[in-house]
């Protein structure tokens, strides 16, 4: 299997930034300008729970959380996809905080729409993905988050498309077990 | 795995890969004939659908974010990065010795207050989640002034994770305010000056956090110079 990160260029960009490369830093700034835009879109989907000033504050808080974690960026996901997770968690934490202040249980709030209910599982899914083995998580990320076909995934990882499909199936099966906490686990 | 199991796994892999329509008559016949396949597909199908939906939403959001070109967004990000770098430089310059000395002073004050009021409870260190193991130093340190040459522990961080190390001086059984450090390696090697500033008896703890700032493990130890 190709040991390189699936987003090697992004990983090299981060390394250059951490090494003090000014041009790389400017490139990173342009790339991570997606953070306020992602938060705006997520907030829109949530029904504009945050006002413009709150969004600016949340953007700064999200970036303040993200910057120290750059050292741990592996290039497994694109920079933007990696930042998306921070944005999602930051917004959900803020929403939950506000609801606690109002004395509303986030899970019982009648104002939660169907579109809002689904994103509550995003964090859960990504935690599960972190617990898969390397090949399985790569196949799943390349398939779902990068939109590659199994032929393309196979070429990227140096495996046959059929092997990629089998790996995909086993990854989904293991993920289901991790997220569902079911007894019995997988068949051998 | 038996041939029967392998054949079923291959077929289910093709279904989840989108090559076989589970609603087709042929698939329906197959599922009717095999309760294991039926059960497995019922378990995995919704998860695959969730993955498609959430990843699709993320890709849509990222595509829309890339289309926008607002210089104000870049200014916001640039300003945040500059502040983060400045804070990092300040944190590195802060004298560890001063911080430890302040912690010891706070312990002495705490003792004085305890003598006037009632007994103080030591802060409890509760263990939860995964446990960080192989913490060193622990127990009596035989090296005297050379004690505490390094702090080490064993734990594999998740991607993007980090450790928080806290060291509290213990004076007359009372733990003082901690000095806190953050690192992404399972070790901290104090300078000679920092080592000399450590109290004779310390309680130290290390916590592991993931990329979302959720604590995933912790561990603690006590150590003392004879």
């Amino acid at each position: 299997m190709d040991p390189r990160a699936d987003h090697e260029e992004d990983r090299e960009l981060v390394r250059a930034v951490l090494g003090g490369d000014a041009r790389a830093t400017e490139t990173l700034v342009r790339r991570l300008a997606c953070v306020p835009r992602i938060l705006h879109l997520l907030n829109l989907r949530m029904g504009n729970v945050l006002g413009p000033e709150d969004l600016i504050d949340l953007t700064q808080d999200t970036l303040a959380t993200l910057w120290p974690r750059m050292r741990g960026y592996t290039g497994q996901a694109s920079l933007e996809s990696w930042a998306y997770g921070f944005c999602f968690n930051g917004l959900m934490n803020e929403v939950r905080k506000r609801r606690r202040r109002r004395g509303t249980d986030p899970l019982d709030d009648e104002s939660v729409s169907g579109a809002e209910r689904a994103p509550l599982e995003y964090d859960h899914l990504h935690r599960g993905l972190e617990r898969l083995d390397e090949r399985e998580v790569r196949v799943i990320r390349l398939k779902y988050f990068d939109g590659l076909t199994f032929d393309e995934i196979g070429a990227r990882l140096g495996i046959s498309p059929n092997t990629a499909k089998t790996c995909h199936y086993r990854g989904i099966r293991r993920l289901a077990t991790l997220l569902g906490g079911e007894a019995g686990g997988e068949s051998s | 795995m038996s041939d029967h199991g392998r054949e079923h796994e291959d077929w289910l892999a093709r279904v989840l890969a989108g090559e076989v329509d589970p609603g087709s008559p042929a698939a329906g016949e197959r599922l009717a004939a095999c309760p294991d396949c039926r059960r497995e597909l019922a378990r995995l199908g919704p998860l695959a659908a969730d993955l498609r939906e959430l990843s699709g939403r993320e890709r849509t959001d990222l595509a829309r974010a890339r289309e926008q070109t607002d210089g104000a967004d870049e200014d916001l990000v640039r300003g945040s990065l500059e502040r983060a770098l400045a804070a990092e430089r300040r944190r590195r310059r802060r004298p560890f010795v001063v911080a430890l000395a302040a912690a010891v002073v706070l312990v002495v004050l705490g003792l004085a207050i305890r003598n006037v009021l009632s007994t103080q409870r030591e802060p409890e260190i509760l263990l939860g989640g995964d446990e960080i193991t192989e913490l060193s130093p622990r127990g009596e340190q035989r090296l005297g002034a050379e004690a505490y040459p390094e702090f080490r522990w064993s734990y594999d961080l998740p991607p993007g994770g980090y450790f928080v190390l806290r060291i509290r001086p213990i004076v007359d059984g009372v733990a003082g305010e901690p000095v806190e450090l953050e690192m992404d390696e399972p070790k901290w090697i104090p300078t000679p000056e920092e080592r000399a500033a450590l109290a004779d008896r310390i309680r130290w703890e290390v916590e592991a956090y993931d990329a979302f700032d959720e604590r995933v493990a912790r561990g603690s130890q006590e150590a003392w110079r004879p």
Side-chain angles (χ1 to χ4, degrees):
Chain A
M1 187 169 68
D2 189 345
R4 291 177 300 167
D6 292 316
H7 297 271
E8 186 68 22
E9 288 184 5
D10 286 356
R11 189 167 71 166
E12 289 302 318
L13 173 64
V14 168
R15 280 182 179 161
V17 170
L18 294 174
D21 186 323
R23 188 183 300 181
T25 301
E26 195 54 35
T27 300
L28 186 69
V29 165
R30 282 198 300 277
R31 296 281 299 275
L32 290 182
C34 65
V35 168
R37 297 163 192 168
I38 291 168
L39 286 169
H40 170 77
L41 290 167
L42 290 173
N43 185 51
L44 204 62
R45 188 174 297 128
M46 298 280 283
N48 286 319
V49 290
L50 299 182
E53 292 299 319
D54 294 327
L55 267 181
I56 291 174
D57 289 344
L58 180 59
T59 296
Q60 291 170 338
D61 289 344
T62 301
L63 289 165
T65 301
L66 184 151
W67 291 127
R69 311 291 174 262
M70 298 294 287
R71 286 169 289 175
Y73 175 68
T74 61
Q76 200 174 67
S78 70
L79 260 176
E80 288 83 353
S81 186
W82 182 71
Y84 190 93
F86 287 92
C87 295
F88 178 85
N89 279 291
L91 181 64
M92 289 311 299
N93 286 339
E94 186 61 29
V95 167
R96 290 187 193 115
K97 197 189 307 180
R98 283 162 186 256
R99 290 193 173 140
R100 278 195 295 271
R101 281 193 217 126
R102 293 207 310 261
T104 308
D105 185 329
L107 297 180
D108 292 342
D109 193 339
E110 289 180 357
S111 67
V112 172
S113 66
E116 184 182 322
R117 203 169 290 118
L120 289 173
E121 301 169 1
Y122 181 96
D123 187 28
H124 201 38
L125 266 173
H126 277 269
R127 289 184 191 283
L129 284 174
E130 288 173 10
R131 296 172 64 184
L132 298 182
D133 72 31
E134 183 185 349
R135 182 190 280 191
E136 291 169 353
V137 73
R138 285 182 77 179
V139 168
I140 288 176
R141 285 191 186 279
L142 289 170
K143 168 68 179 167
Y144 291 97
F145 293 92
D146 290 343
L148 268 58
T149 65
F150 283 105
D151 285 347
E152 291 167 333
I153 293 171
R156 177 80 66 93
L157 302 185
I159 57 178
S160 71
N162 281 340
T163 301
K165 289 169 202 167
T166 301
C167 196
H168 167 254
Y169 164 70
R170 289 177 178 167
I172 296 287
R173 194 172 58 181
R174 197 190 308 262
L175 191 60
T177 300
L178 288 170
L179 297 182
E182 294 179 12
E186 306 163 19
S187 57
S188 58
Chain B
M1 184 189 303
S2 68
D3 287 342
H4 181 70
R6 185 181 302 278
E7 188 219 346
H8 281 228
E9 181 173 289
D10 287 346
W11 184 79
L12 286 168
R14 291 175 58 215
V15 172
L16 286 181
E19 287 184 3
V20 173
D21 176 7
S24 67
E29 283 180 20
R30 181 161 187 145
L31 289 171
C34 181
D36 287 342
C37 281
R38 206 163 54 240
R39 187 165 42 245
E40 191 77 329
L41 196 58
R43 188 172 79 102
L44 304 182
L47 176 57
D50 280 347
L51 265 171
R52 278 193 296 275
E53 179 180 353
L54 293 183
S55 62
R57 189 175 296 142
E58 178 182 309
R59 283 158 52 199
T60 299
D61 289 344
L62 290 180
R64 290 175 66 184
R66 286 191 195 100
E67 288 168 5
Q68 297 172 18
T69 52
D70 187 342
D73 291 332
E74 292 184 17
D75 291 341
L76 191 57
V77 172
R78 190 178 295 106
S80 172
L81 174 57
E82 288 169 356
R83 282 191 293 277
L85 290 175
E88 178 70 17
R89 286 190 290 269
R90 280 196 303 273
R91 189 172 63 184
R92 286 180 191 155
R93 282 200 302 268
R94 187 183 74 175
F96 185 79
V97 173
V98 171
L100 269 178
V104 172
V105 167
L106 284 171
V107 168
V108 171
L109 282 175
L111 280 172
I113 292 170
R114 185 185 73 163
N115 287 338
V116 173
L117 300 175
S118 51
T119 54
Q120 283 189 3
R121 278 175 49 192
E122 289 184 10
E124 289 184 358
I125 298 178
L126 301 175
L127 295 178
D130 282 354
E131 187 176 2
I132 296 176
T133 59
E134 299 176 30
L135 283 78
S136 172
R138 62 179 181 177
E140 184 174 296
Q141 303 298 293
R142 300 179 183 280
L143 299 177
E146 299 301 313
Y148 313 133
E150 62 182 14
F151 288 72
R152 284 186 181 273
W153 54 92
S154 182
Y155 189 79
D156 291 328
L157 280 175
Y162 60 98
F163 294 107
V164 173
L165 170 66
R166 294 187 191 88
I167 304 175
R168 304 170 188 264
I170 298 182
V171 180
D172 282 1
V174 178
E177 289 300 310
V179 173
E180 191 170 294
L181 300 168
E182 191 176 305
M183 63 275 297
D184 53 17
E185 287 183 322
K187 64 178 179 182
W188 176 62
I189 301 176
T191 64
E193 195 178 30
E194 289 166 342
R195 194 165 66 236
L198 290 169
D200 283 342
R201 190 174 190 110
I202 58 172
R203 178 180 296 158
W204 64 284
E205 63 184 47
V206 59
E207 295 177 334
Y209 290 81
D210 64 16
F212 299 104
D213 298 317
E214 293 289 332
R215 190 178 66 207
V216 295
R218 66 193 307 184
S220 67
Q221 275 292 346
E222 281 196 18
W224 58 91
R225 295 187 181 103

